[in-house]
Amino acid sequence: MVIKVFVATSSGSTAIKKKQQEVVGFLEANKIDFQQMDIAGDEDNRKWMRENVPGEKKPQNGIPLPPQIFNEERYCGDFESFFSAKEENIIYSFLGLAPPPGTKETEKSEVTDEAESHTEDKADEGAHEEAQSAQSPSEDQQESKEEHAASGQEKGEEQQEEGEGEEAVKEQEES
């Protein structure tokens, strides 16, 4: 399977040039095999690209701008689709390729599989924890009770000391 990136090598638009370079640079950096198909110098490439971009993906004027990305004959998307897939780490599925081992996309699919298989276990653990917390107070609640009790004892001791001090003053006044 060959990825085809339709580009305009002699585009006057700097925005289009930057988008094309970003796609090509990313594919080169990740060692993904691709072919650049020039639509500026080859009328057949331009015609093929325009005919094979799906209608819902074409702009209002009906002429799709480069870069447009295909996997053989299958349309993958334009720059915006490519950029979104890259940001979400799903570029290989976007391109219709199997992700190489050790990539984030491979890890993501493995994590998803694991999460689905352990969903019931976690639900059971959660129900068990809820039952336990309903039976006994949480650590925070226990600490709060202890702090409240301690402050109550301190207040009682302070009041007792104040009372003793008042009694001593009264005794001194009487003598």
Side-chain angles (χ1 to χ4, degrees):
M1 297 187 139
V2 176
I3 302 301
K4 296 179 183 175
V5 181
F6 287 83
V7 298
T9 55
S10 60
S11 174
S13 167
T14 56
I16 289 176
K17 286 179 184 177
K18 285 180 182 179
K19 290 176 181 179
Q20 292 175 162
Q21 187 54 44
E22 186 171 338
V23 172
V24 169
F26 180 85
L27 295 174
E28 287 173 346
N30 287 283
K31 297 180 175 121
I32 298 172
D33 291 331
F34 71 99
Q35 289 179 335
Q36 283 190 63
M37 311 296 284
D38 185 19
I39 64 168
D42 189 331
E43 185 63 36
D44 291 336
N45 284 344
R46 182 180 340 175
K47 187 176 181 182
W48 191 92
M49 181 194 81
R50 288 181 178 174
E51 290 173 356
N52 289 285
V53 171
E56 68 273 5
K57 297 291 184 175
K58 290 183 181 178
Q60 288 180 339
N61 68 3
I63 302 171
L65 298 174
Q68 296 292 329
I69 305 160
F70 290 81
N71 184 336
E72 294 291 337
E73 310 292 316
R74 185 181 75 81
Y75 181 70
C76 298
D78 58 5
F79 176 78
E80 283 73 24
S81 303
F82 170 83
F83 184 79
S84 294
K86 187 174 89 167
E87 290 295 307
E88 296 172 20
N89 289 322
I90 57 170
I91 197 72
Y92 290 96
S93 59
F94 167 78
L95 295 171
L97 302 173
T103 61
K104 286 186 178 182
E105 195 167 339
T106 305
E107 293 168 7
K108 207 178 218 184
S109 65
E110 289 172 0
V111 168
T112 303
D113 292 344
E114 276 183 33
E116 289 172 358
S117 67
H118 295 299
T119 302
E120 290 179 12
D121 294 341
K122 289 184 179 183
D124 291 343
E125 289 174 17
H128 180 71
E129 288 173 5
E130 284 180 24
Q132 282 184 337
S133 67
Q135 293 172 358
S136 61
S138 72
E139 288 180 26
D140 291 341
Q141 291 171 331
Q142 190 65 31
E143 287 176 14
S144 177
K145 285 181 181 179
E146 290 171 2
E147 287 173 3
H148 183 70
S151 67
Q153 287 175 344
E154 289 171 5
K155 285 181 183 176
E157 290 171 0
E158 288 173 5
Q159 289 174 349
Q160 187 177 1
E161 289 173 5
E162 287 175 9
E164 290 173 1
E166 289 175 10
E167 288 177 13
V169 170
K170 287 182 183 177
E171 288 178 13
Q172 285 179 354
E173 289 176 357
E174 292 175 2
S175 17

